[in-house]
Amino acid sequence: VALTLTPMMCSRLLVAHAGEGRVARWLGRGLEALERGYRRLLGGVLARPWLLVPLVALMLGAGVALFQRTPGELSPYEDRGYVRASVRGPEGVTIDWTTRNVQQLEPILAAVPEVESTFLIAGVPEVTRGIAVIRLKPWEERARSQQEIARTLRPELARVPGVVAVPSSPPSLGQDSRSPPVQIVLQTSGSYQELAEVTDRFVRAVETWPGVTDVNGELSLETPQLEVTFDRQKIADLGLDVDSVGRTLESFLAGRQVTRFNRDAEQYDVIVQVADADRKEPDDLAAIYVRGRGGQMIQLSNLVQFQETVAAKELTRFNQLRSATVTAALAPDYTIGQALEHFTATAREVLPDNFRFDYAGPSREFDQAGSSILLIFALALAFIYLLLAAQFESFVSPLLIMVTVPLSM
């Protein structure tokens, strides 16, 4: 502004006058009175250095102490007129199970007087999860804020059986409302089994702190699955091949598009698949047959063996190391800075020597912003100093002015 806008405005607005107007004289007298008063006050203070120096030191020390104790956050939370609730079910459930349990939230949300409408999604971002978007009435039609409503909903949604539903206030300034604010990534070069054990221990250590809710370690090694093993010798004896048996399993269970047909200028896919009611249990494989040599129908259960096992839902890496992300939502009246301080202290206490940690999502943004603020502040001071030096045509006068900046902060 000082380098571009002000000079341009002065060239347009400042014109020569033969004499001062009434408003200019009135402003001039006011500024002169202010200058005289400030001169007397400044003279009285400078005449007592024994009082001035300790006072300045006290103010600087108090400023540093208050700055260190002030909770930090990425951006202030505003009342944006809606609340978002994340819903999480147990591993291995189907989309129908998730849908039924997500629908339990509807009567609870409808009973809140400030709620205008709700929008529930099951199976997003995973089959076992869901999202509820609660749109609130306009600000002038409600007495409670978005944060107060989310705080009230928290114990109500916690009573819903079968799922974990956590309401939260969406962040401001374009941040992703789907991403939990607290995210710490545990990394190791060891095995995933060791990583899972350490992650569980870390989650138990941090979830007792009242500043966070819905603490979740996103490394699951217990996702149920059905392991099918082909009896290759028996398949060969019956004149079949593994490919035909595998395609039969795929067609009947996962579904296969076999053709398309046109009707009324619309194209439709024809998909072969067993009805949902006939493929719910492992024993349903006995009802599937494979066509063998000479057209003979052979029961699929005679050709394969199956057993129910558990496995990892996904295996992730971060910085080329095996990793697990621990996420959490913030409790009311707590900030992301306080949460990361607690998580960091717990990680240094709980994690073994072959583990390291980093941040992700909003936590990573907050950490990077905090580390760069000192550089930005130093550059700002250098820019201001050069600007003042150009205006005063002196390298000393700007220092006298800028030495008051810490006191003003």
Side-chain angles (χ1 to χ4, degrees):
V1 170
L3 290 176
T4 58
L5 181 63
T6 301
M8 184 276 294
M9 294 180 64
C10 290
S11 67
R12 297 293 180 180
L13 299 179
L14 296 183
V15 295
H17 291 280
E20 292 184 342
R22 184 168 51 187
V23 175
R25 290 194 298 270
W26 178 77
L27 289 175
R29 288 194 296 268
L31 291 175
E32 290 173 359
L34 181 62
E35 181 181 352
R36 290 193 298 270
Y38 180 70
R39 186 183 298 274
R40 288 195 299 268
L41 179 62
L42 188 61
V45 170
L46 294 178
R48 298 171 176 83
W50 52 270
L51 177 62
L52 177 62
V53 174
L55 181 61
V56 170
L58 178 63
M59 293 178 66
L60 287 175
V64 172
L66 289 174
F67 181 79
Q68 293 176 342
R69 293 177 61 87
T70 301
E73 56 187 356
L74 192 58
S75 64
Y77 281 83
E78 303 174 291
D79 188 336
R80 304 183 63 190
Y82 77 98
V83 176
R84 184 181 181 277
S86 61
V87 186
R88 186 177 74 252
E91 291 295 333
V93 299
T94 63
I95 184 64
D96 295 332
W97 191 96
T98 305
T99 302
R100 289 194 304 270
N101 284 271
V102 167
Q103 288 174 342
Q104 297 182 76
L105 275 61
E106 289 184 326
I108 299 176
L109 301 177
V112 180
E114 292 88 353
V115 173
E116 186 175 77
S117 62
T118 58
F119 181 63
L120 281 74
I121 310 173
V124 175
E126 301 171 4
V127 173
T128 60
R129 299 195 177 194
I131 299 172
V133 180
I134 305 107
R135 184 180 177 186
L136 305 178
K137 294 180 179 179
W139 296 289
E140 61 272 10
E141 297 181 17
R142 51 186 169 91
R144 294 191 298 174
S145 67
Q146 165 189 303
Q147 289 75 16
E148 292 173 325
I149 296 172
R151 191 178 311 174
T152 304
L153 283 173
R154 190 177 300 274
E156 297 293 330
L157 298 183
R159 299 191 186 101
V160 177
V163 295
V164 177
V166 181
S168 61
S169 297
S172 307
L173 302 180
Q175 299 169 55
D176 188 0
S177 60
R178 297 169 298 178
S179 183
V182 183
Q183 298 185 34
I184 185 170
V185 185
L186 309 183
Q187 308 162 66
T188 181
S189 57
S191 65
Y192 278 104
Q193 186 63 42
E194 181 187 10
L195 178 62
E197 295 173 359
V198 173
T199 301
D200 291 341
R201 190 160 66 245
F202 179 81
V203 169
R204 290 193 299 269
V206 297
E207 66 184 356
T208 57
W209 187 58
V212 290
T213 60
D214 190 30
V215 182
N216 180 37
E218 296 186 349
L219 176 62
S220 174
L221 302 180
E222 299 180 354
T223 301
Q225 69 177 19
L226 190 66
E227 188 174 292
V228 180
T229 305
F230 290 179
D231 190 336
R232 294 176 178 269
Q233 185 61 48
K234 186 178 292 187
I235 292 174
D237 293 342
L238 294 173
L240 297 171
D241 57 79
V242 173
D243 181 65
S244 61
V245 177
R247 290 175 67 86
T248 300
L249 274 173
E250 177 189 4
S251 301
F252 280 78
L253 300 182
R256 174 182 289 276
Q257 177 185 324
V258 293
T259 186
R260 293 188 179 94
F261 73 92
N262 296 319
R263 173 181 291 177
D264 299 330
E266 294 288 342
Q267 190 176 69
Y268 299 90
D269 295 331
V270 178
I271 299 176
V272 176
Q273 189 182 60
V274 174
D276 292 345
D278 296 327
R279 54 188 180 97
K280 286 186 174 181
E281 302 294 336
D283 294 338
D284 293 335
L285 291 174
I288 300 177
Y289 287 81
V290 182
R291 189 177 299 277
R293 185 186 301 131
Q296 180 185 6
M297 303 301 295
I298 303 170
Q299 198 170 21
L300 185 63
S301 58
N302 294 326
L303 306 176
V304 299
Q305 298 174 352
F306 59 88
Q307 62 177 2
E308 298 183 50
T309 62
V310 293
K313 179 177 65 175
E314 59 182 0
L315 299 176
T316 59
R317 287 179 176 267
F318 192 91
N319 290 335
Q320 300 182 355
L321 294 174
R322 296 181 177 92
S323 66
T325 302
V326 178
T327 64
L330 292 173
D333 301 325
Y334 285 87
T335 65
I336 189 173
Q338 294 171 307
L340 290 186
E341 183 178 350
H342 176 73
F343 272 49
T344 301
T346 305
R348 289 171 177 161
E349 179 182 347
V350 171
L351 299 185
D353 294 337
N354 61 331
F355 275 71
R356 53 192 292 188
F357 65 91
D358 203 339
Y359 305 114
S363 299
R364 190 177 184 87
E365 295 181 34
F366 176 82
D367 182 64
Q368 292 176 344
S371 61
S372 61
I373 191 171
L374 294 178
L375 175 61
I376 295 174
F377 192 69
L379 292 176
L381 289 178
F383 178 80
I384 293 171
Y385 174 77
L386 294 176
L387 182 63
L388 293 177
Q391 288 183 338
F392 289 103
E393 298 181 353
S394 170
F395 289 108
V396 178
S397 297
L399 295 177
L400 297 177
I401 297 174
M402 294 177 64
V403 76
T404 62
V405 173
L407 296 179
S408 65
M409 291 185 65

